[in-house]
Amino acid sequence: MDEARLEHPSPACRRIRVNVRPLPFRLPPARDELLSSWIGRLAKANHCSVEELCGHLGLGQGRVPECANDLRAVNWARLCGAVQRSPAEIAAMCLSEATHHSLHIVSRYDFQHCWACVEKTPDLVLRHWRLAWSMTCETCGQALATKYPAKDVSGRLRARAVVGAEALKTAAAANDPRRLRRVDLTLHLIAVLKIGNLGALTSGNERARFMALAAVGLSVTRPLVGAAIILRGNDRAAQELRRVFPQHRRVIERVRALSRDLDQRLPGRTETEHPTGQKTHGTSRPSVSESALQAARQAISELGAGANREALLARADAIWKSTGGVRS
């Protein structure tokens, strides 16, 4: 790289003075490109390693920054002078700290990518590819690909995952603590039932991720029906929930009662119930009113998906009894 050759400030090279000059080759960042992705491409364009470039840019021990808090120890004069970008432009390329909470909705790893964009620009990583709710590339509109794609994902599950992704995006954008808490409880629920894990929303396993997003969609739009579907025909799972969430036993019991009604109304298992293929054995139960499920749906329609659970259950019971339903 002639006079602008980059030197890493290692102990062996401490006596070598590095002049802070603009990099010889400064590729413009792509729209919404992650800072670590851009630095990697800059290193390749300037014929040096990422570690050498980080040292030259004053980024510490060669660690590529990705989140806003990674920039706290940055030598801004050195960095901005070398890449010819303002601090605001550089900070805007990082993942936002505001989206980092107990929920794993922002990944520190590349769990998905866009084949079309990467083929056009090798080593490219866009920020929205790291977000749990992103399912299509905002640059080209192509569906994002995961590391472990699933060939047997039904259109129904995919559609439910899209609903869940949109609900998660809305909750995160508004930083709605109530909805985010509901999403968190849903992930704990599927983890307890062993049909998912807490990091499933940013999993490279496409099927596991779609299952988690579908569960999130049900928890936000129809919480009672969603919980009932998950618990349907699974008495052992209900017992485990009572043990793990003793403070919610009353709600669990009432949701379990609704799940028994669904057992009679829905003879087959849906793809959002038991993705591992494990069979659950429920005991035979006497027939119940044909209007049970319709009563639950009407209650949700009247009161809204965000209504208090107790109020929804009470209204569903009232509707059911008014149509002649009799609880077994």
Side-chain angles (χ1 to χ4, degrees):
M1 294 175 58
D2 300 327
E3 295 182 358
R5 182 176 181 179
L6 306 180
E7 299 291 348
H8 186 274
S10 61
C13 303
R14 285 176 180 171
R15 289 179 293 179
I16 299 178
R17 185 175 181 179
V18 180
N19 294 322
V20 181
R21 305 179 186 177
L23 294 176
F25 301 99
R26 299 186 301 279
L27 301 174
R31 186 180 71 85
D32 198 43
E33 184 171 9
L34 192 63
L35 181 59
S36 59
S37 168
W38 186 48
I39 289 177
R41 295 197 303 118
L42 284 175
K44 187 174 182 179
N46 286 279
H47 308 287
C48 63
S49 70
V50 172
E51 183 180 15
E52 287 175 327
L53 182 57
C54 285
H56 177 74
L57 298 178
L59 295 176
Q61 301 298 318
R63 187 167 69 92
V64 183
E66 290 198 331
C67 297
N69 58 1
D70 293 336
L71 297 175
R72 291 173 182 172
V74 165
N75 184 328
W76 285 104
R78 191 182 186 93
L79 175 60
C80 295
V83 301
Q84 294 292 285
R85 297 279 169 173
S86 69
E89 289 176 305
I90 294 171
M93 298 175 69
C94 292
L95 296 171
S96 174
E97 292 179 75
T99 57
H100 282 254
H101 17 69
S102 59
L103 294 172
H104 295 282
I105 60 176
V106 179
S107 177
R108 297 298 296 263
Y109 306 97
D110 299 328
F111 71 97
Q112 61 179 354
H113 62 279
C114 174
W115 284 106
C117 291
V118 171
E119 184 175 354
K120 185 183 301 183
T121 308
D123 303 319
L124 177 70
V125 179
L126 301 186
R127 289 192 315 150
H128 69 272
W129 296 355
R130 296 285 191 88
L131 305 178
W133 55 81
S134 293
M135 300 181 69
T136 58
C137 180
E138 296 177 5
T139 299
C140 67
Q142 296 291 326
L144 295 177
T146 58
K147 290 185 177 181
Y148 306 102
K151 297 181 180 179
D152 59 342
V153 172
S154 69
R156 185 178 183 181
L157 176 58
R158 189 178 295 274
R160 287 182 174 179
V162 170
V163 172
E166 188 60 33
L168 181 61
K169 179 181 179 180
T170 301
N175 198 23
D176 187 333
R178 184 177 62 85
R179 288 203 169 191
L180 291 174
R181 174 62 177 165
R182 183 177 292 176
V183 172
D184 186 51
L185 285 174
T186 299
L187 294 179
H188 278 83
L189 172 64
I190 64 176
V192 169
L193 300 181
K194 301 186 186 306
I195 59 176
N197 58 71
L198 296 179
L201 290 177
T202 55
S203 171
N205 184 313
E206 185 176 47
R207 182 180 178 82
R209 179 169 176 243
F210 279 8
M211 290 293 298
L213 286 172
V216 167
L218 284 172
S219 74
V220 173
T221 59
R222 297 188 176 184
L224 288 178
V225 176
I229 288 175
I230 293 176
L231 287 180
R232 180 177 153 228
N234 197 336
D235 288 319
R236 179 177 294 182
Q239 293 173 3
E240 182 66 10
L241 285 178
R242 295 188 197 102
R243 184 186 68 80
V244 177
F245 303 111
Q247 70 276 25
H248 298 303
R249 284 192 176 188
R250 185 177 178 183
V251 175
I252 292 170
E253 291 301 328
R254 303 201 66 173
V255 171
R256 184 68 187 112
L258 179 58
S259 74
R260 293 191 182 102
D261 300 336
L262 292 178
D263 255 347
Q264 300 299 320
R265 287 285 293 145
L266 308 174
R269 290 290 182 265
T270 65
E271 195 171 2
T272 57
E273 292 178 70
H274 303 291
T276 57
Q278 296 177 348
K279 296 182 179 180
T280 57
H281 303 280
T283 58
S284 61
R285 300 180 178 87
S287 61
V288 295
S289 171
E290 289 292 318
S291 62
L293 182 59
Q294 184 60 36
R297 289 175 175 168
Q298 185 177 335
I300 294 172
S301 177
E302 291 180 6
L303 302 181
N308 179 272
R309 295 180 181 180
E310 297 294 330
L312 283 168
L313 285 169
R315 180 56 184 154
D317 282 342
I319 294 172
W320 191 14
K321 290 175 182 179
S322 70
T323 58
V326 179
R327 188 176 298 281
S328 60

